[in-house]
mmCIF file of all heavy atoms in Angstrom:
data_model
loop_
_atom_site.group_PDB
_atom_site.id
_atom_site.type_symbol
_atom_site.label_atom_id
_atom_site.label_comp_id
_atom_site.label_asym_id
_atom_site.label_seq_id
_atom_site.Cartn_x
_atom_site.Cartn_y
_atom_site.Cartn_z
ATOM 1 N N GLN L 1 -33.900 -81.315 -49.596
ATOM 2 C CA GLN L 1 -34.192 -82.740 -49.556
ATOM 3 C C GLN L 1 -32.881 -83.527 -49.503
ATOM 4 O O GLN L 1 -31.820 -83.022 -49.892
ATOM 5 C CB GLN L 1 -35.006 -83.148 -50.773
ATOM 6 C CG GLN L 1 -36.392 -82.541 -50.804
ATOM 7 C CD GLN L 1 -37.225 -83.084 -51.956
ATOM 8 O OE1 GLN L 1 -36.708 -83.450 -52.996
ATOM 9 N NE2 GLN L 1 -38.550 -83.132 -51.743
ATOM 10 N N ALA L 2 -32.990 -84.744 -49.046
ATOM 11 C CA ALA L 2 -31.824 -85.616 -49.010
ATOM 12 C C ALA L 2 -31.210 -85.721 -50.402
ATOM 13 O O ALA L 2 -31.931 -85.866 -51.393
ATOM 14 C CB ALA L 2 -32.213 -86.994 -48.492
ATOM 15 N N GLY L 3 -29.883 -85.633 -50.447
ATOM 16 C CA GLY L 3 -29.170 -85.679 -51.705
ATOM 17 C C GLY L 3 -28.868 -84.318 -52.311
ATOM 18 O O GLY L 3 -28.039 -84.212 -53.225
ATOM 19 N N ASP L 4 -29.540 -83.289 -51.822
ATOM 20 C CA ASP L 4 -29.322 -81.930 -52.323
ATOM 21 C C ASP L 4 -28.022 -81.341 -51.774
ATOM 22 O O ASP L 4 -27.346 -81.950 -50.931
ATOM 23 C CB ASP L 4 -30.488 -81.032 -51.945
ATOM 24 C CG ASP L 4 -31.731 -81.300 -52.764
ATOM 25 O OD1 ASP L 4 -31.642 -82.061 -53.754
ATOM 26 O OD2 ASP L 4 -32.795 -80.753 -52.417
ATOM 27 N N SER L 5 -27.727 -80.143 -52.249
ATOM 28 C CA SER L 5 -26.531 -79.419 -51.815
ATOM 29 C C SER L 5 -26.921 -78.065 -51.243
ATOM 30 O O SER L 5 -27.959 -77.495 -51.596
ATOM 31 C CB SER L 5 -25.573 -79.209 -52.987
ATOM 32 O OG SER L 5 -25.117 -80.443 -53.507
ATOM 33 N N LEU L 6 -26.078 -77.568 -50.348
ATOM 34 C CA LEU L 6 -26.200 -76.226 -49.805
ATOM 35 C C LEU L 6 -24.811 -75.650 -49.624
ATOM 36 O O LEU L 6 -23.845 -76.406 -49.406
ATOM 37 C CB LEU L 6 -26.893 -76.233 -48.439
ATOM 38 C CG LEU L 6 -28.404 -76.129 -48.342
ATOM 39 C CD1 LEU L 6 -28.833 -76.196 -46.887
ATOM 40 C CD2 LEU L 6 -28.936 -74.882 -49.009
ATOM 41 N N ARG L 7 -24.720 -74.339 -49.692
ATOM 42 C CA ARG L 7 -23.444 -73.662 -49.445
ATOM 43 C C ARG L 7 -23.648 -72.646 -48.337
ATOM 44 O O ARG L 7 -24.462 -71.735 -48.473
ATOM 45 C CB ARG L 7 -22.946 -72.978 -50.713
ATOM 46 C CG ARG L 7 -21.578 -72.295 -50.578
ATOM 47 C CD ARG L 7 -21.157 -71.697 -51.908
ATOM 48 N NE ARG L 7 -19.897 -70.982 -51.851
ATOM 49 C CZ ARG L 7 -18.715 -71.542 -51.995
ATOM 50 N NH1 ARG L 7 -18.621 -72.859 -52.173
ATOM 51 N NH2 ARG L 7 -17.605 -70.817 -51.948
ATOM 52 N N LEU L 8 -22.924 -72.827 -47.254
ATOM 53 C CA LEU L 8 -22.966 -71.889 -46.144
ATOM 54 C C LEU L 8 -21.805 -70.905 -46.272
ATOM 55 O O LEU L 8 -20.707 -71.281 -46.684
ATOM 56 C CB LEU L 8 -22.860 -72.618 -44.812
ATOM 57 C CG LEU L 8 -23.898 -73.704 -44.528
ATOM 58 C CD1 LEU L 8 -23.685 -74.276 -43.133
ATOM 59 C CD2 LEU L 8 -25.301 -73.186 -44.687
ATOM 60 N N SER L 9 -22.083 -69.666 -45.910
ATOM 61 C CA SER L 9 -21.042 -68.642 -45.919
ATOM 62 C C SER L 9 -20.990 -67.953 -44.561
ATOM 63 O O SER L 9 -22.005 -67.844 -43.878
ATOM 64 C CB SER L 9 -21.309 -67.613 -47.014
ATOM 65 O OG SER L 9 -21.251 -68.200 -48.291
ATOM 66 N N CYS L 10 -19.813 -67.497 -44.213
ATOM 67 C CA CYS L 10 -19.618 -66.786 -42.946
ATOM 68 C C CYS L 10 -18.675 -65.622 -43.211
ATOM 69 O O CYS L 10 -17.582 -65.817 -43.764
ATOM 70 C CB CYS L 10 -19.035 -67.707 -41.890
ATOM 71 S SG CYS L 10 -18.576 -66.893 -40.342
ATOM 72 N N ALA L 11 -19.114 -64.439 -42.814
ATOM 73 C CA ALA L 11 -18.299 -63.240 -42.984
ATOM 74 C C ALA L 11 -17.856 -62.723 -41.619
ATOM 75 O O ALA L 11 -18.687 -62.558 -40.717
ATOM 76 C CB ALA L 11 -19.087 -62.165 -43.719
ATOM 77 N N ALA L 12 -16.577 -62.495 -41.488
ATOM 78 C CA ALA L 12 -16.018 -61.965 -40.250
ATOM 79 C C ALA L 12 -15.776 -60.470 -40.379
ATOM 80 O O ALA L 12 -15.347 -59.987 -41.426
ATOM 81 C CB ALA L 12 -14.710 -62.671 -39.918
ATOM 82 N N SER L 13 -16.066 -59.746 -39.311
ATOM 83 C CA SER L 13 -15.806 -58.315 -39.272
ATOM 84 C C SER L 13 -15.287 -57.939 -37.888
ATOM 85 O O SER L 13 -15.262 -58.764 -36.980
ATOM 86 C CB SER L 13 -17.072 -57.525 -39.613
ATOM 87 O OG SER L 13 -18.089 -57.787 -38.663
ATOM 88 N N GLY L 14 -14.900 -56.697 -37.755
ATOM 89 C CA GLY L 14 -14.325 -56.252 -36.494
ATOM 90 C C GLY L 14 -12.820 -56.386 -36.533
ATOM 91 O O GLY L 14 -12.186 -56.085 -37.534
ATOM 92 N N ASP L 15 -12.246 -56.876 -35.460
ATOM 93 C CA ASP L 15 -10.802 -57.033 -35.369
ATOM 94 C C ASP L 15 -10.401 -58.380 -35.953
ATOM 95 O O ASP L 15 -10.233 -59.366 -35.251
ATOM 96 C CB ASP L 15 -10.358 -56.925 -33.905
ATOM 97 C CG ASP L 15 -8.862 -56.711 -33.781
ATOM 98 O OD1 ASP L 15 -8.161 -56.773 -34.822
ATOM 99 O OD2 ASP L 15 -8.378 -56.505 -32.659
ATOM 100 N N THR L 16 -10.283 -58.408 -37.282
ATOM 101 C CA THR L 16 -10.039 -59.666 -37.986
ATOM 102 C C THR L 16 -8.565 -59.974 -38.225
ATOM 103 O O THR L 16 -8.240 -61.007 -38.805
ATOM 104 C CB THR L 16 -10.768 -59.675 -39.339
ATOM 105 O OG1 THR L 16 -10.295 -58.568 -40.108
ATOM 106 C CG2 THR L 16 -12.270 -59.567 -39.156
ATOM 107 N N THR L 17 -7.691 -59.084 -37.783
ATOM 108 C CA THR L 17 -6.266 -59.358 -37.971
ATOM 109 C C THR L 17 -5.860 -60.545 -37.114
ATOM 110 O O THR L 17 -6.333 -60.717 -36.003
ATOM 111 C CB THR L 17 -5.413 -58.149 -37.583
ATOM 112 O OG1 THR L 17 -5.700 -57.790 -36.232
ATOM 113 C CG2 THR L 17 -5.701 -56.974 -38.488
ATOM 114 N N CYS L 18 -5.000 -61.363 -37.670
ATOM 115 C CA CYS L 18 -4.436 -62.504 -36.942
ATOM 116 C C CYS L 18 -5.463 -63.570 -36.553
ATOM 117 O O CYS L 18 -5.261 -64.301 -35.579
ATOM 118 C CB CYS L 18 -3.679 -62.052 -35.693
ATOM 119 S SG CYS L 18 -2.329 -60.913 -36.045
ATOM 120 N N ILE L 19 -6.567 -63.652 -37.305
ATOM 121 C CA ILE L 19 -7.452 -64.803 -37.106
ATOM 122 C C ILE L 19 -6.691 -66.035 -37.575
ATOM 123 O O ILE L 19 -6.186 -66.073 -38.690
ATOM 124 C CB ILE L 19 -8.761 -64.661 -37.884
ATOM 125 C CG1 ILE L 19 -9.629 -63.564 -37.284
ATOM 126 C CG2 ILE L 19 -9.525 -65.986 -37.889
ATOM 127 C CD1 ILE L 19 -10.923 -63.335 -38.034
ATOM 128 N N SER L 20 -6.587 -67.028 -36.744
ATOM 129 C CA SER L 20 -5.855 -68.226 -37.128
ATOM 130 C C SER L 20 -6.808 -69.207 -37.807
ATOM 131 O O SER L 20 -7.010 -69.160 -38.999
ATOM 132 C CB SER L 20 -5.179 -68.847 -35.909
ATOM 133 O OG SER L 20 -6.126 -69.093 -34.879
ATOM 134 N N SER L 21 -7.451 -70.026 -37.051
ATOM 135 C CA SER L 21 -8.327 -71.027 -37.628
ATOM 136 C C SER L 21 -9.762 -70.505 -37.723
ATOM 137 O O SER L 21 -10.217 -69.756 -36.861
ATOM 138 C CB SER L 21 -8.301 -72.289 -36.770
ATOM 139 O OG SER L 21 -9.212 -73.254 -37.239
ATOM 140 N N MET L 22 -10.450 -70.892 -38.784
ATOM 141 C CA MET L 22 -11.884 -70.653 -38.916
ATOM 142 C C MET L 22 -12.539 -71.999 -39.205
ATOM 143 O O MET L 22 -11.898 -72.915 -39.736
ATOM 144 C CB MET L 22 -12.197 -69.659 -40.030
ATOM 145 C CG MET L 22 -11.618 -68.285 -39.801
ATOM 146 S SD MET L 22 -12.162 -67.070 -41.031
ATOM 147 C CE MET L 22 -13.859 -66.769 -40.469
ATOM 148 N N GLY L 23 -13.801 -72.095 -38.847
ATOM 149 C CA GLY L 23 -14.423 -73.383 -39.076
ATOM 150 C C GLY L 23 -15.916 -73.373 -38.887
ATOM 151 O O GLY L 23 -16.527 -72.329 -38.638
ATOM 152 N N TRP L 24 -16.480 -74.554 -39.041
ATOM 153 C CA TRP L 24 -17.908 -74.766 -38.884
ATOM 154 C C TRP L 24 -18.138 -75.884 -37.862
ATOM 155 O O TRP L 24 -17.447 -76.914 -37.885
ATOM 156 C CB TRP L 24 -18.532 -75.154 -40.216
ATOM 157 C CG TRP L 24 -18.548 -74.033 -41.204
ATOM 158 C CD1 TRP L 24 -17.613 -73.749 -42.150
ATOM 159 C CD2 TRP L 24 -19.564 -73.033 -41.330
ATOM 160 N NE1 TRP L 24 -17.962 -72.628 -42.854
ATOM 161 C CE2 TRP L 24 -19.160 -72.172 -42.380
ATOM 162 C CE3 TRP L 24 -20.770 -72.775 -40.688
ATOM 163 C CZ2 TRP L 24 -19.930 -71.084 -42.778
ATOM 164 C CZ3 TRP L 24 -21.532 -71.702 -41.076
ATOM 165 C CH2 TRP L 24 -21.111 -70.859 -42.114
ATOM 166 N N TYR L 25 -19.110 -75.644 -37.025
ATOM 167 C CA TYR L 25 -19.570 -76.623 -36.058
ATOM 168 C C TYR L 25 -21.079 -76.770 -36.227
ATOM 169 O O TYR L 25 -21.724 -75.907 -36.823
ATOM 170 C CB TYR L 25 -19.250 -76.173 -34.630
ATOM 171 C CG TYR L 25 -17.786 -76.170 -34.293
ATOM 172 C CD1 TYR L 25 -16.909 -75.249 -34.870
ATOM 173 C CD2 TYR L 25 -17.259 -77.093 -33.395
ATOM 174 C CE1 TYR L 25 -15.554 -75.253 -34.572
ATOM 175 C CE2 TYR L 25 -15.909 -77.099 -33.075
ATOM 176 C CZ TYR L 25 -15.060 -76.180 -33.662
ATOM 177 O OH TYR L 25 -13.723 -76.190 -33.365
ATOM 178 N N ARG L 26 -21.630 -77.842 -35.693
ATOM 179 C CA ARG L 26 -23.073 -77.996 -35.783
ATOM 180 C C ARG L 26 -23.623 -78.606 -34.510
ATOM 181 O O ARG L 26 -22.929 -79.346 -33.803
ATOM 182 C CB ARG L 26 -23.458 -78.842 -36.987
ATOM 183 C CG ARG L 26 -23.154 -80.327 -36.868
ATOM 184 C CD ARG L 26 -23.460 -81.030 -38.189
ATOM 185 N NE ARG L 26 -23.428 -82.484 -38.059
ATOM 186 C CZ ARG L 26 -23.541 -83.317 -39.101
ATOM 187 N NH1 ARG L 26 -23.699 -82.836 -40.343
ATOM 188 N NH2 ARG L 26 -23.503 -84.617 -38.900
ATOM 189 N N GLN L 27 -24.884 -78.282 -34.259
ATOM 190 C CA GLN L 27 -25.574 -78.805 -33.092
ATOM 191 C C GLN L 27 -26.955 -79.268 -33.507
ATOM 192 O O GLN L 27 -27.812 -78.454 -33.877
ATOM 193 C CB GLN L 27 -25.666 -77.745 -31.990
ATOM 194 C CG GLN L 27 -26.198 -78.269 -30.680
ATOM 195 C CD GLN L 27 -25.956 -77.300 -29.533
ATOM 196 O OE1 GLN L 27 -25.614 -76.137 -29.736
ATOM 197 N NE2 GLN L 27 -26.128 -77.777 -28.309
ATOM 198 N N GLY L 28 -27.140 -80.575 -33.472
ATOM 199 C CA GLY L 28 -28.440 -81.143 -33.791
ATOM 200 C C GLY L 28 -29.360 -81.117 -32.597
ATOM 201 O O GLY L 28 -28.932 -80.865 -31.469
ATOM 202 N N PRO L 29 -30.646 -81.390 -32.810
ATOM 203 C CA PRO L 29 -31.614 -81.385 -31.715
ATOM 204 C C PRO L 29 -31.224 -82.349 -30.595
ATOM 205 O O PRO L 29 -31.022 -83.535 -30.856
ATOM 206 C CB PRO L 29 -32.913 -81.829 -32.402
ATOM 207 C CG PRO L 29 -32.716 -81.517 -33.847
ATOM 208 C CD PRO L 29 -31.256 -81.712 -34.104
ATOM 209 N N GLY L 30 -31.088 -81.835 -29.403
ATOM 210 C CA GLY L 30 -30.743 -82.664 -28.261
ATOM 211 C C GLY L 30 -29.329 -83.176 -28.243
ATOM 212 O O GLY L 30 -29.001 -84.096 -27.480
ATOM 213 N N LYS L 31 -28.470 -82.597 -29.075
ATOM 214 C CA LYS L 31 -27.092 -83.071 -29.160
ATOM 215 C C LYS L 31 -26.121 -81.972 -28.776
ATOM 216 O O LYS L 31 -26.477 -80.803 -28.691
ATOM 217 C CB LYS L 31 -26.781 -83.556 -30.580
ATOM 218 C CG LYS L 31 -27.639 -84.734 -31.036
ATOM 219 C CD LYS L 31 -27.249 -85.168 -32.435
ATOM 220 C CE LYS L 31 -28.078 -86.348 -32.890
ATOM 221 N NZ LYS L 31 -27.713 -86.787 -34.269
ATOM 222 N N GLU L 32 -24.880 -82.361 -28.560
ATOM 223 C CA GLU L 32 -23.840 -81.385 -28.284
ATOM 224 C C GLU L 32 -23.338 -80.769 -29.594
ATOM 225 O O GLU L 32 -23.574 -81.299 -30.672
ATOM 226 C CB GLU L 32 -22.680 -82.062 -27.540
ATOM 227 C CG GLU L 32 -23.052 -82.585 -26.166
ATOM 228 C CD GLU L 32 -21.862 -83.151 -25.420
ATOM 229 O OE1 GLU L 32 -20.798 -83.313 -26.044
ATOM 230 O OE2 GLU L 32 -21.997 -83.430 -24.217
ATOM 231 N N ARG L 33 -22.639 -79.668 -29.461
ATOM 232 C CA ARG L 33 -22.060 -79.017 -30.630
ATOM 233 C C ARG L 33 -20.816 -79.790 -31.061
ATOM 234 O O ARG L 33 -19.905 -80.020 -30.257
ATOM 235 C CB ARG L 33 -21.701 -77.568 -30.309
ATOM 236 C CG ARG L 33 -21.326 -76.734 -31.520
ATOM 237 C CD ARG L 33 -21.165 -75.264 -31.162
ATOM 238 N NE ARG L 33 -22.402 -74.694 -30.658
ATOM 239 C CZ ARG L 33 -22.549 -73.379 -30.418
ATOM 240 N NH1 ARG L 33 -21.545 -72.543 -30.636
ATOM 241 N NH2 ARG L 33 -23.687 -72.918 -29.944
ATOM 242 N N ASP L 34 -20.785 -80.165 -32.331
ATOM 243 C CA ASP L 34 -19.689 -80.966 -32.874
ATOM 244 C C ASP L 34 -18.932 -80.210 -33.951
ATOM 245 O O ASP L 34 -19.525 -79.448 -34.717
ATOM 246 C CB ASP L 34 -20.210 -82.267 -33.500
ATOM 247 C CG ASP L 34 -20.785 -83.226 -32.476
ATOM 248 O OD1 ASP L 34 -20.258 -83.288 -31.353
ATOM 249 O OD2 ASP L 34 -21.762 -83.923 -32.817
ATOM 250 N N LEU L 35 -17.648 -80.485 -34.043
ATOM 251 C CA LEU L 35 -16.846 -79.933 -35.120
ATOM 252 C C LEU L 35 -17.269 -80.549 -36.449
ATOM 253 O O LEU L 35 -17.488 -81.763 -36.535
ATOM 254 C CB LEU L 35 -15.376 -80.212 -34.867
ATOM 255 C CG LEU L 35 -14.372 -79.704 -35.895
ATOM 256 C CD1 LEU L 35 -13.066 -79.313 -35.205
ATOM 257 C CD2 LEU L 35 -14.078 -80.741 -36.969
#
């Protein structure tokens, strides 16, 4: 519900050496993907 909290997690695997930036993007209905 509005006002609540959530925690998203992301785990990387494979060739993870030298990963520089990590981040989250989102795409709403009918919208472009935004940082």
Side-chain angles (χ1 to χ4, degrees):
Q1 294 186 330
D4 286 350
S5 298
L6 271 178
R7 183 178 178 86
L8 304 183
S9 296
C10 173
S13 62
D15 195 353
T16 59
T17 57
C18 302
I19 290 178
S20 55
S21 176
M22 298 187 75
W24 291 93
Y25 291 69
R26 72 186 191 186
Q27 188 166 13
K31 298 181 179 180
E32 296 184 350
R33 190 172 298 188
D34 293 325
L35 180 147

